[in-house]
Amino acid sequence: MPHDHHDHDHAHAVLPPDPALRVKAIETILTQKGLIDPAALDEIIDTYENRIGPKNGALVVARAWSDPEFRAALLADATAVVAELGFYGRQGEHIVVVENTPQVHNMVVCTLCSCYPWPLLGIPPGWYKSDAYRARAVREPRKVLAEFGIKLPEGTKVRVWDSTAEIRYLVLPMRPEGTEGLIEAELCDWVTRDSMIGTGLPERPA
Amino acid sequence: MTRVHDMGGRFGDGPVQPGPEPVFKYDWHARALAVTLAAGALGQWSIDRSRHTRECLSPGDYARFSYFEKWISALADMLVDQGIVTREELASGQAAGRSPLAERALAAEDVAGVLARGGPSDRATQQAPRFAVGDAVVTRRPARNLHVTGGHTRLPAYAAGVPGRIVHLHGAHVLPDTNAHGLGEAPEPLYTVVFDAADLWGAPERAGDEVTCDLWDSYLRPA
């Protein structure tokens, strides 16, 4: 029937339509079966809500801005360099850092799902996972950038990185004017999450 | 040939709507993530299988479901496919008994270690890469799984049959096309291939813009 909420060949069709109730049903069943420990769920949530997020990536960027040797090593083998900072793990096993220059602006998408460098940026924002971003970032990146308030200079080429394998990309934005003389901790405050995805630029902290 | 998830380059989606939001917009988003990761830690399926199961949601469901709804629905499908949970249990919302896999359950004290270890996909292999940085290649057309009809692949349809150039070598990585279907890891050299936007779209937004994809050796032939 056209108004059925679910496709009945799939097992999930027997679950309640409300997604919150779907999650609750699966959590209840798996807990009763001894397959998940509610305390482990709390631990996972706390990790991604409070401990792993864009401040990790911001530290990497700020250090690359202030330490040329670190920057060179980062561009050569980011996985090893960020692992030394403790930023390694699920959805960040293979990291490549791509550097913005006056000639090239880099931007990251996953058209097939929503791959994202979790250990450096945390859980992706809603817009990154949206159909609109996944569909459009590869074909009309400049229109998408305009929706983020970004207009690139005429001479700057866009290179969009579609994360189709387990390689995760972090954009190294250009160090902005007005940051001369700032120390690493101060530079971190200029690095926005979106500037590390390529849909934003560093911003003077409020 | 394609599935609904393969949406790169599609027309008709509205504007992207950036804006501040909490990490988890609703409590159930956080629960969906945590339940999915904890169930994954039971070791009964690979990330490639998870992705493929989400892609196998019907096009109607895939389009209608939000991100975490896709996750939780695919999780239910995998739990039943693997015989870990029955349809009757899903329908009743109650377990019929304890699972023989219970000893594998992820304990709270092991969460940090498991998340920190991750699941690297690179593998040692004797296979030398066929291509070097700078080599000209052409991608397979159509984008399809050569092992399983309608099966999982990571070559997007928009990049099928398109000339490109190798810009990175990543060593050998698990091949999703086999691994998603229990046909083994079959590691192959993985490359980043850059495409000229004009070759992908005909009329690019600006001449010289580029798109890259990460593609396995068997997706490519020499140009």
Side-chain angles (χ1 to χ4, degrees):
Chain A
M1 291 193 307
H3 296 292
D4 272 9
H5 191 80
H6 305 299
D7 151 16
H8 292 280
D9 289 340
H10 286 78
H12 70 253
V14 305
L15 286 163
D18 178 342
L21 297 179
R22 291 193 147 202
V23 178
K24 189 72 201 156
I26 295 174
E27 183 179 339
T28 301
I29 294 165
L30 293 180
T31 304
Q32 290 173 350
K33 285 185 162 296
L35 293 174
I36 56 176
D37 171 3
L41 302 187
D42 294 341
E43 183 71 14
I44 293 169
I45 293 167
D46 185 50
T47 300
Y48 290 112
E49 197 149 50
N50 301 312
R51 287 181 246 158
I52 296 182
K55 67 179 192 315
N56 292 0
L59 175 63
V60 173
V61 170
R63 188 160 297 178
W65 283 347
S66 38
D67 179 345
E69 280 182 27
F70 179 88
R71 176 183 152 275
L74 185 70
L75 294 173
D77 183 2
T79 309
V81 170
V82 304
E84 277 183 35
L85 296 173
F87 307 150
Y88 180 89
R90 190 184 176 88
Q91 287 301 303
E93 296 92 346
H94 310 282
I95 304 270
V96 170
V97 171
V98 292
E99 185 182 35
N100 285 350
T101 67
Q103 288 75 41
V104 185
H105 179 87
N106 296 284
M107 181 172 156
V108 182
V109 65
C110 171
T111 62
L112 297 175
C113 42
S114 298
C115 297
Y116 191 74
W118 289 17
L120 294 169
L121 297 183
I123 301 298
W127 61 259
Y128 186 86
K129 299 177 283 200
S130 69
D131 286 8
Y133 187 72
R134 289 170 54 188
R136 295 177 52 220
V138 283
R139 187 170 51 76
E140 45 186 24
R142 289 167 189 270
K143 286 199 184 75
V144 171
L145 287 172
E147 288 159 18
F148 285 82
I150 305 292
K151 188 176 187 310
L152 298 174
E154 277 301 305
T156 303
K157 153 173 102 175
V158 175
R159 183 180 266 188
V160 181
W161 299 78
D162 189 354
S163 314
T164 51
E166 301 303 329
I167 313 299
R168 298 289 167 265
Y169 293 94
L170 186 83
V171 175
L172 174 56
M174 287 188 284
R175 180 168 176 164
E177 288 177 20
T179 60
E180 299 77 11
L182 297 187
I183 61 165
E184 183 181 286
E186 295 167 325
L187 288 171
C188 284
D189 294 335
W190 286 68
V191 185
T192 64
R193 177 194 63 201
D194 291 0
S195 74
M196 296 182 277
I197 305 172
T199 55
L201 299 174
E203 286 172 16
R204 183 181 294 277
Chain B
M1 204 60 78
T2 61
R3 290 186 186 272
V4 67
H5 73 283
D6 186 0
M7 61 180 70
R10 184 173 75 185
F11 286 98
D13 290 277
V16 179
Q17 295 176 324
E21 56 180 81
V23 175
F24 298 112
K25 195 171 177 186
Y26 303 105
D27 282 347
W28 73 264
H29 287 182
R31 304 309 286 178
L33 174 98
V35 169
T36 303
L37 297 195
L42 295 168
Q44 302 302 296
W45 50 75
S46 65
I47 189 160
D48 300 306
R49 169 95 185 277
S50 304
R51 288 203 183 106
H52 183 60
T53 308
R54 288 170 203 151
E55 295 162 9
C56 285
L57 293 168
S58 72
D61 280 350
Y62 194 95
R64 183 168 49 238
F65 286 174
S66 64
Y67 179 73
F68 285 117
E69 258 179 297
K70 294 184 188 93
W71 276 39
I72 205 74
S73 302
L75 174 62
D77 293 341
M78 283 192 292
L79 288 167
V80 171
D81 285 349
Q82 290 295 117
I84 299 169
V85 168
T86 65
R87 280 179 185 250
E88 292 67 35
E89 288 174 318
L90 283 186
S92 70
Q94 297 293 316
R98 202 170 163 80
S99 168
L101 292 172
E103 64 190 30
R104 293 167 168 263
L106 177 63
E109 61 267 27
D110 296 330
V111 165
V114 165
L115 295 180
R117 258 198 311 286
S121 62
D122 56 336
R123 297 289 183 270
T125 174
Q126 301 300 318
Q127 187 183 348
R130 250 193 316 161
F131 305 110
V133 168
D135 282 2
V137 295
V138 179
T139 53
R140 175 193 294 166
R141 183 173 183 276
R144 67 184 183 105
N145 184 312
L146 299 183
H147 308 270
V148 176
T149 302
H152 184 63
T153 190
R154 297 291 286 182
L155 174 61
Y158 76 81
V162 180
R165 184 168 45 84
I166 305 284
V167 289
H168 280 297
L169 271 64
H170 300 289
H173 283 249
V174 173
L175 181 68
D177 305 49
T178 52
N179 200 41
H181 300 283
L183 299 174
E185 294 192 333
E188 288 184 5
L190 177 72
Y191 311 90
T192 302
V193 180
V194 67
F195 303 100
D196 188 315
D199 290 328
L200 295 173
W201 318 115
E205 276 189 312
R206 174 191 174 279
D209 282 352
E210 295 173 332
V211 177
T212 77
C213 293
D214 296 328
L215 302 173
W216 281 260
D217 196 83
S218 60
Y219 295 5
L220 305 172
R221 64 174 172 80

